[in-house]
Amino acid sequence: MAEPTSCSAHILVVDDDPRIRQMLTRYFENEGYQVSAVADGQGMRDALQRDAIDIVLLDLILGGGEDGLMLVREVRTSSDMPIIMLSGRDDVVDRIVGLEMGADDYIAKPFHLREVLARLHSVLRRHHAQPPQAIDGEGEDVIRFNGWLLNPRERRLVAPEGTEVALTTGEFDILLVMAKHPGRVFSRDRLMNLTRGRHYEAPDRVIDAQISRLRKKIEAGKHPASLIKSVRGVGYVFTGQASERAS
């Protein structure tokens, strides 16, 4: 999947403050992006159905009885579209909950427009990039484990019964890094470096939140086996049994 350029990527801004909508729209249009802006959840739904949106900037607190967390959860039932949450509350709990719901990043208000642009570039780049860097020079063949199929090139995860499981960018990158090396213990810092880069700053609980969400998707229902285990005081280890690889 090719990465959208600044001339083609379509940003959807969802914020009930008209000043924020106008500011972000003007700024990103000047940077060459296509921008749509709406004030509430229904406007977001309509825009997602009507337009080919590449990324959503979503306010945590919206009017009309809906909030950003509810909308993230709704989108994540059917799409891995990148979502960056915006919030006037720079609270660690809010940030963790947002990431647990499936947001790709979280920016506190007031923000600097260049920071938002940098974060947006980073999320888009990770979402459309080649899979995270390989360890020990391994290739990017399809990985099979416990009946599952993980395709790095197409960024797809297929369950043993043949259904595709939607993963966010962060979830997919973490699973790919760990599934390549079953039995290897990864610290949170190591996972963060391999999937988001050495200069990305976030609390340890960001990785914990993504691991928790990933576990729910690959260890529930028809697939109760524990594939990702915690190593007390260290990090996480993938315990799935990898089988043959195929291009």
Side-chain angles (χ1 to χ4, degrees):
M1 183 182 297
E3 178 180 352
T5 67
S6 60
C7 295
S8 64
H10 192 164
I11 302 169
L12 176 62
V13 176
V14 186
D15 198 303
D16 60 357
D17 187 333
R19 295 169 300 176
I20 297 292
R21 295 199 304 272
Q22 183 180 40
M23 177 180 64
L24 290 172
T25 297
R26 182 183 299 117
Y27 180 75
F28 281 110
E29 286 181 341
N30 287 339
E31 290 293 325
Y33 288 92
Q34 181 180 357
V35 184
S36 296
V38 298
D40 54 27
Q42 189 55 52
M44 174 178 168
R45 295 184 190 95
D46 293 341
L48 291 177
Q49 290 183 353
R50 180 182 64 246
D51 303 319
I53 303 297
D54 293 296
I55 188 167
V56 179
L57 299 180
L58 174 60
D59 190 24
L60 177 64
I61 306 298
L62 296 171
E66 290 185 304
D67 63 25
L69 296 178
M70 295 169 56
L71 293 172
V72 170
R73 180 184 294 169
E74 182 178 320
V75 171
R76 283 292 173 253
T77 61
S78 60
S79 173
D80 65 348
M81 175 183 302
I83 300 173
I84 297 177
M85 298 207 72
L86 307 174
S87 175
R89 302 194 310 225
D90 188 16
D91 185 87
V92 172
V93 173
D94 286 335
R95 182 176 304 185
I96 296 303
V97 171
L99 293 168
E100 285 179 339
M101 292 296 181
D104 293 275
D105 207 343
Y106 185 108
I107 303 175
K109 299 178 181 178
F111 47 72
H112 194 290
L113 288 171
R114 291 186 64 181
E115 178 190 3
V116 180
L117 178 63
R119 296 284 193 94
L120 182 138
H121 281 169
S122 177
V123 171
L124 279 176
R125 187 164 53 247
R126 287 190 290 112
H127 185 73
H128 294 278
Q130 294 298 317
Q133 65 194 78
I135 304 175
D136 299 335
E138 292 191 0
E140 301 299 340
D141 294 333
V142 170
I143 300 171
R144 303 175 188 274
F145 59 90
N146 295 61
W148 292 80
L149 186 151
L150 185 66
N151 189 319
R153 292 193 180 95
E154 299 178 5
R155 298 187 69 85
R156 296 173 62 235
L157 175 67
V158 180
E161 67 270 19
T163 58
E164 186 169 346
V165 177
L167 299 180
T168 66
T169 302
E171 293 165 3
F172 188 94
D173 290 349
I174 288 173
L175 179 59
L176 180 57
V177 166
M178 299 189 73
K180 285 180 178 179
H181 303 277
R184 177 178 293 190
V185 178
F186 288 90
S187 69
R188 295 170 178 83
D189 286 344
R190 182 65 170 150
L191 286 173
M192 187 70 73
N193 289 341
L194 288 169
T195 59
R196 296 199 174 196
R198 296 182 182 278
H199 302 295
Y200 188 90
E201 295 184 2
D204 287 346
R205 289 182 60 188
V206 170
I207 290 294
D208 293 341
Q210 290 181 323
I211 291 285
S212 175
R213 198 167 62 243
L214 182 58
R215 279 171 166 165
K216 291 176 182 178
K217 294 182 179 182
I218 66 175
E219 299 178 357
K222 299 178 181 178
H223 316 289
S226 177
L227 297 174
I228 301 176
K229 292 186 177 180
S230 300
V231 179
R232 187 178 182 87
V234 182
Y236 297 97
V237 60
F238 183 80
T239 60
Q241 298 299 309
S243 57
E244 78 277 5
R245 297 184 177 214
S247 298

